[in-house]
Amino acid sequence: MAIMETIDLIALRNYSRETSQPTHPELLDARPIEHVNKIEIDEEHVTITFDEHTTRYYNANEITHREWVYKYNDDPAFVKAVRGVIEQARRHLKDLPENVACPPGCAECCSGYEPFVTKADVQRIADHLGMSFDAVLREYVVERPSADGYHLGWLRKVSDDVADQCVFLKGSRSGHYYCGIYAARPNDCRDFSPIGCEDVDDSLPRKSAFKIGPPFAPKHRKARRNGKRL
Ligand code: SF4
Ligand code: SF4
């Protein structure tokens, strides 16, 4: 978990005039510093770059980067204060990402993203569902072949809304979701890492008994079960 800390700039305040930083304490940049990306120390400055604010959209995050820059002087109190800031920033550099594993039943990513599929993915899903390659392509894939021919398109959503759920997602609500074709899911889904995932549904308990329901069944099979002819 990222630690929220406030930089103690009290010692720095006394030196602000010489270092051309703001002279009023309330103008000093003493906000919490976290998500540190980089620490640069040269002969005159220490510069800490961090993510100030993250806005989450369904398939991308907009991050405001900020730099915290202080100019050195060689006064021991100033040096001590700057060292404190550097040490704090280093601790944040070593922080684990906030999310290292998916809470059971979370599937925010299965609603926000369109996993690309290759020929091998479509074939695996076809074998898994007992359907033909062409039928899977027609029913479950939005066809948009990539220029190199590697991807055939991406998995359909349950509606035309791109933010809707993946056609293979099962379960009634967050905390109960599961992939209906888990063993045959596309490589894109296998590769999706929960580490640092910002889409996670934080309201879900991390430890809960989670029962997976029946797997995804193609429409034609459901219809046959109900005695209908296609
Ligand atoms: S934690 Fe992230 S990667 Fe895991 S299921 Fe939730 S949204 Fe997907
Ligand atoms: S195939 Fe499964 S893992 Fe992949 S997006 Fe759909 S429901 Fe999620």
Side-chain angles (χ1 to χ4, degrees), residues 110 115 155 166 168-169 178-181 185-186 189:
C110 301
L155 288 188
C166 169
F168 295 122
L169 187 64
Y178 62 97
C179 175
I181 55 157
R185 68 200 187 286
C189 306

Side-chain angles (χ1 to χ4, degrees), residues 121-184:
D121 289 324
V122 173
Q123 189 60 60
R124 190 169 53 251
I125 295 170
D127 293 345
H128 183 78
L129 297 176
M131 294 172 70
S132 71
F133 182 94
D134 289 346
V136 168
L137 205 56
R138 199 173 51 242
E139 287 192 37
Y140 305 126
V141 176
V142 177
E143 287 188 67
R144 292 280 191 287
S146 57
D148 59 3
Y150 186 67
H151 288 115
L152 304 180
W154 55 83
L155 288 188
R156 279 191 194 285
K157 302 292 189 170
V158 290
S159 74
D160 288 338
D161 181 352
V162 287
D164 217 332
Q165 295 175 357
C166 169
V167 69
F168 295 122
L169 187 64
K170 300 264 298 171
S172 53
R173 61 181 192 277
S174 186
H176 294 259
Y177 287 134
Y178 62 97
C179 175
I181 55 157
Y182 191 75

Side-chain angles (χ1 to χ4, degrees), residues 99 101-103 106-110 192-194 197 199-201:
N99 192 67
C102 310
C106 172
E108 291 298 310
C109 50
C110 301
F192 200 87
S193 169
C197 171
D199 295 320
V200 56
D201 182 348

Side-chain angles (χ1 to χ4, degrees), residues 20-206:
S20 70
Q21 302 293 334
T23 48
H24 295 289
E26 64 274 18
L27 295 179
L28 284 170
D29 187 356
R31 76 190 68 198
I33 185 168
E34 55 172 3
H35 303 297
V36 175
N37 300 318
K38 204 165 50 174
I39 306 171
E40 283 177 321
I41 302 167
D42 65 23
E43 283 165 11
E44 288 199 333
H45 301 92
V46 52
T47 307
I48 299 172
T49 313
F50 60 102
D51 298 347
E52 181 184 44
H53 184 69
T54 304
T55 312
R56 291 161 46 185
Y57 297 103
Y58 89 92
N59 63 352
N61 291 328
E62 188 179 284
I63 299 172
T64 315
H65 299 287
R66 263 187 72 92
E67 274 189 357
W68 185 97
V69 186
Y70 249 90
K71 199 172 173 196
Y72 293 138
N73 67 32
D74 57 7
D75 185 287
F78 178 83
V79 171
K80 186 166 172 261
V82 169
R83 187 188 301 134
V85 174
I86 294 170
E87 278 166 7
Q88 182 186 313
R90 284 207 171 114
R91 277 205 302 283
H92 284 290
L93 265 180
K94 287 181 196 144
D95 272 352
L96 278 176
E98 288 192 25
N99 192 67
V100 290
C102 310
C106 172
E108 291 298 310
C109 50
C110 301
S111 302
Y113 297 86
E114 293 90 48
F116 284 103
V117 289
T118 62
K119 244 184 193 176
D121 289 324
V122 173
Q123 189 60 60
R124 190 169 53 251
I125 295 170
D127 293 345
H128 183 78
L129 297 176
M131 294 172 70
S132 71
F133 182 94
D134 289 346
V136 168
L137 205 56
R138 199 173 51 242
E139 287 192 37
Y140 305 126
V141 176
V142 177
E143 287 188 67
R144 292 280 191 287
S146 57
D148 59 3
Y150 186 67
H151 288 115
L152 304 180
W154 55 83
L155 288 188
R156 279 191 194 285
K157 302 292 189 170
V158 290
S159 74
D160 288 338
D161 181 352
V162 287
D164 217 332
Q165 295 175 357
C166 169
V167 69
F168 295 122
L169 187 64
K170 300 264 298 171
S172 53
R173 61 181 192 277
S174 186
H176 294 259
Y177 287 134
Y178 62 97
C179 175
I181 55 157
Y182 191 75
R185 68 200 187 286
N187 273 336
D188 241 14
C189 306
R190 289 158 204 261
D191 288 345
F192 200 87
S193 169
I195 297 175
C197 171
E198 301 212 359
D199 295 320
V200 56
D201 182 348
D202 282 320
S203 68
L204 297 177
R206 290 279 164 177

